[in-house]
Amino acid sequence: MLSHIRSRRGMLLIATSVSGVLALFLDAPWSVVFGLLALGGFAGLILILSVRLSQIVTRLGVLGRSIGRRSPTMAAPAERSTHETRAATRMTSAIDTLGSAADRLAAEPSMSERNLTPKQGHTPRVTIVVPCYNEERFVAEAIRSIAEQTFTDWECLVVDDASTDSSLKEIWAATNSDQRFRVLRHQVNSGLSAARNTGLRAARGQLVTFLDADDLLMRDSLMDRVIALANAMADPHVIGSYCGVTVAFEEVDLDELPDRMEGDSRGIIDLVSADAECPFNAHAPLLITERLRALGGFNERMRYGAEDWHLWYRAMRNGYVFVPSHYKTAVYRQKRNSMVRSMPDGHVLEANRLINAAYQHVDPELLVDPSPTPLTKPINEYQAQIHRARRAIRFAAMALVAGDEAAARRALVVFQEAPLSLIERHIDLTDMTDRGMQRALAVSRDELTAMSTLSEPIRSRMRALIGEVSKSYVPEPVTSVTKPSIGALLVPQHAGQIPQMLEAAAQSGFSEGTIGVLTIEREGGSQGATIGAPESLPTWSLNEWALRTVTCSTAFVGKVR
């Protein structure tokens, strides 16, 4: 109605003016009538102008506050909404503290970019290692997929493994304008595992991940995995988080990829849930750096692939687990001339060794000290123990309903045979207890829920009994040889110096069983390397020596010629 009055304010002004003029010249009582009309008209005009002025002042105030909030450094694109800005602020807080809001933050509909400029001396949260050997066609795009990550507190180590094409030129061109990239180069081609280990040794981030030079990351990949790992890092069994991986054709275009895709998570992955298979590609997990270093990194002697599978297997044998992230954010480029296609028989042999190893007692050389919970038995024994535990809980609950706690304790003896942490990951203890009570009382789930005064004390007692019985679990004794100690270390410039150095070590009182070799001489390849030293001596590459932290009392160093 007010807008209607404003549209007529010109007519009202004319009518008011005419009424005033007539009031001056006409005799009473008409002058009084027209005078009152003129007074009312002027009052109406004043009211309309007051409302209009108030609206103008309000709009100016809103505009002023909007200008005041806009920082000169926040030249955000117009499409960024207020909701996205709030989401980015909350995510920044969670990432900086690796705090407890991970699940809530991951549900946000947008993972907005944080404009974080690396500070001098700043230690990045994440290190991305990119091994590269003759990938001139793809390495620049892999690097760009890292540069465009929405999580920006990272460093990237690009390790060129003595490429013979123009890969190094492409790497320098792609990284030159961003100080978060560092380029390392092998003088001798040493293999994929060696390149990854070189990056692992040089990593400064608390967390580390790997991206082969021909693969890609979607923009939210680091953000997604950091958030997933945030709540889990305090658990000594967690070594990292993992995202989903999508397979793409060789011609995949980074610009056509979404920021993330809906995932199809398999849940927590451990030795049992992996089921003797490779759980994911090399660039799926984001790992806790120090826990990965303690495992010794990637096996540099494997020349036919599966070296990443071998590392995940060793981690799971030591009791480590991988927690899932929420999305699919990594891209595996399926090349027509990939390594797997060029030597499938060699890859099958490596895979068969790993599958067979899962169904045998663990090789002590795979275990580290300390290990959170070493899993030394064949995988099928743990699977059988989990099956027995499900049944044991149900029948123990039936015994508790009957008031026979001694029978319940005897039923739970399986918890003396396997670590509780493993069983709890695969069994919902409360659900199994409820099923046992339902069977004992012949009631439905809803009826059991209504009987809380009976059911809750039995649940509590079941948890207590399981805790008491599981304390009797004693893992199989095993001797770790991951950190050996030797008397003399030979460091030759080439294999021809080894006989003379062995003679010098013997003259110094060292027997052959106490002597090892640290060598940089190797016959390299795109996947692995053959170390140039006698098979009778324990031998390490520089990466293996550093990551396995072997100790020695004396070193014999060859003269440089």
Side-chain angles (χ1 to χ4, degrees):
M1 183 176 180
L2 182 61
S3 62
H4 178 72
I5 294 174
R6 282 203 306 267
S7 68
R8 309 290 187 189
R9 61 179 176 267
M11 296 178 61
L12 180 60
L13 178 61
I14 295 172
T16 300
S17 302
V18 171
S19 299
V21 172
L22 292 174
L24 293 175
F25 294 100
L26 294 177
D27 295 331
W30 292 105
S31 62
V32 175
V33 173
F34 283 103
L36 292 173
L37 289 174
L39 183 60
F42 281 117
L45 284 172
I46 292 172
L47 176 61
I48 291 172
L49 292 174
S50 298
V51 171
R52 181 61 175 166
L53 181 61
S54 174
Q55 290 176 336
I56 292 172
V57 170
T58 300
R59 290 187 181 180
L60 289 173
V62 170
L63 180 60
R65 286 193 298 273
S66 175
I67 293 172
R69 283 197 303 265
R70 186 170 302 166
S71 168
T73 61
M74 290 292 290
E79 63 269 21
R80 176 160 300 181
S81 67
T82 303
H83 176 74
E84 287 179 314
T85 303
R86 292 199 199 100
T89 302
R90 289 198 300 271
M91 286 178 186
T92 301
S93 175
I95 291 159
D96 288 342
T97 61
L98 288 179
S100 62
D103 292 335
R104 175 173 58 82
L105 290 173
E108 289 289 346
S110 176
M111 294 183 175
S112 300
E113 182 175 359
R114 297 189 307 135
N115 295 320
L116 187 150
T117 302
K119 299 177 182 178
Q120 191 70 23
H122 171 69
T123 301
R125 182 74 69 191
V126 175
T127 297
I128 308 107
V129 176
V130 180
C132 177
Y133 177 69
N134 288 352
E135 291 291 356
E136 60 184 1
R137 288 195 299 155
F138 303 117
V139 65
E141 195 167 36
I143 289 171
R144 184 161 71 90
S145 78
I146 295 170
E148 294 179 357
Q149 288 295 297
T150 52
F151 177 83
T152 58
D153 190 5
W154 52 262
E155 67 170 356
C156 178
L157 308 179
V158 186
V159 184
D160 180 70
D161 191 26
S163 295
T164 57
D165 63 0
S166 62
S167 291
L168 187 60
K169 179 181 178 182
E170 295 291 331
I171 291 168
W172 282 119
T175 62
N176 191 41
S177 61
D178 194 332
Q179 295 182 351
R180 293 173 297 179
F181 287 93
R182 287 193 286 159
V183 180
L184 310 176
R185 190 167 197 265
H186 288 169
Q187 296 301 314
V188 176
N189 178 236
S190 304
L192 180 60
S193 291
R196 288 174 179 158
N197 284 342
T198 295
L200 178 60
R201 284 200 301 119
R204 296 183 300 154
Q206 181 185 12
L207 310 174
V208 63
T209 188
F210 302 89
L211 178 67
D212 289 352
D214 55 346
D215 292 326
L216 300 168
L217 297 179
M218 298 180 195
R219 293 183 75 248
D220 288 335
S221 188
L222 292 182
M223 179 81 80
D224 179 40
R225 288 179 284 170
V226 168
I227 289 174
L229 189 52
N231 280 340
M233 286 186 68
D235 184 347
H237 295 96
V238 173
I239 194 171
S241 61
Y242 71 96
C243 66
V245 177
T246 186
V247 178
F249 292 115
E250 182 173 319
E251 294 79 11
V252 60
D253 187 345
L254 177 62
D255 293 326
E256 296 177 356
L257 292 175
D259 290 352
R260 66 191 183 209
M261 299 172 62
E262 288 301 321
D264 48 0
S265 170
R266 295 164 49 197
I268 293 177
I269 291 180
D270 61 8
L271 183 67
V272 173
S273 60
D275 197 22
E277 286 287 347
C278 182
F280 33 62
N281 296 84
H283 56 311
L286 175 70
L287 304 141
I288 299 174
T289 306
E290 288 308 315
R291 293 178 186 176
L292 189 64
R293 283 175 176 155
L295 290 169
F298 296 87
N299 188 330
E300 298 186 9
R301 318 294 176 94
M302 297 178 69
R303 298 176 61 86
Y304 300 105
E307 73 293 326
D308 52 343
W309 182 359
H310 186 253
L311 180 53
W312 316 146
Y313 170 73
R314 281 154 42 208
M316 293 184 290
R317 272 296 193 181
N318 280 277
Y320 286 118
V321 304
F322 304 87
V323 297
S325 70
H326 296 272
Y327 299 102
K328 188 182 293 185
T329 58
V331 180
Y332 175 76
R333 192 191 299 268
Q334 201 168 46
K335 295 193 299 184
R336 284 179 281 274
N337 296 316
S338 65
M339 181 277 299
V340 174
R341 295 190 182 195
S342 62
M343 42 184 164
D345 53 339
H347 183 81
V348 168
L349 287 174
E350 295 289 4
N352 287 343
R353 291 190 189 100
L354 287 168
I355 292 171
N356 292 338
Y359 288 94
Q360 299 170 0
H361 275 75
V362 70
D363 181 350
E365 291 191 2
L366 302 184
L367 301 181
V368 299
D369 185 23
S371 170
T373 306
L375 300 177
T376 58
K377 299 177 183 179
I379 183 176
N380 55 302
E381 290 193 26
Y382 292 117
Q383 291 169 336
Q385 288 166 347
I386 290 169
H387 286 308
R388 293 202 300 272
R390 288 192 180 96
R391 181 172 295 273
I393 296 170
R394 293 199 300 270
F395 280 85
M398 294 170 64
L400 289 178
V401 170
D404 191 348
E405 186 170 306
R409 188 181 293 272
R410 289 193 299 271
L412 296 173
V413 69
V414 66
F415 285 89
Q416 297 176 354
E417 303 170 2
L420 179 60
S421 59
L422 176 67
I423 294 177
E424 284 182 321
R425 284 196 295 272
H426 294 272
I427 298 177
D428 186 333
L429 304 183
T430 300
D431 179 62
M432 288 295 110
T433 302
D434 287 354
R435 293 188 185 196
M437 286 191 286
Q438 283 180 252
R439 183 169 180 180
L441 299 170
V443 297
S444 67
R445 180 59 63 94
D446 291 339
E447 289 171 328
L448 182 66
T449 302
M451 302 165 62
S452 59
T453 55
L454 169 65
S455 59
E456 191 53 45
I458 291 179
R459 293 189 191 105
S460 298
R461 188 57 192 151
M462 178 67 75
R463 287 191 290 267
L465 278 177
I466 290 174
E468 294 171 14
V469 174
S470 65
K471 289 179 181 178
S472 301
Y473 167 72
V474 178
E476 290 184 348
V478 63
T479 302
S480 171
V481 293
T482 302
K483 297 182 179 181
S485 177
I486 59 173
L489 178 69
L490 312 184
V491 189
Q493 294 297 315
H494 54 83
Q497 293 180 333
I498 292 179
Q500 292 177 315
M501 300 178 80
L502 279 172
E503 183 178 344
Q507 292 174 355
S508 300
F510 296 101
S511 61
E512 187 168 311
T514 64
I515 300 173
V517 179
L518 173 64
T519 179
I520 59 173
E521 186 176 43
R522 53 177 59 202
E523 178 188 345
S526 61
Q527 280 301 124
T530 301
I531 307 297
E535 293 183 1
S536 60
L537 297 176
T539 307
W540 300 274
S541 70
L542 180 60
N543 284 329
E544 291 170 334
W545 174 269
L547 290 170
R548 293 166 69 95
T549 58
V550 188
T551 59
C552 69
S553 59
T554 305
F556 294 82
V557 181
K559 182 182 295 184
V560 179
R561 298 181 180 177

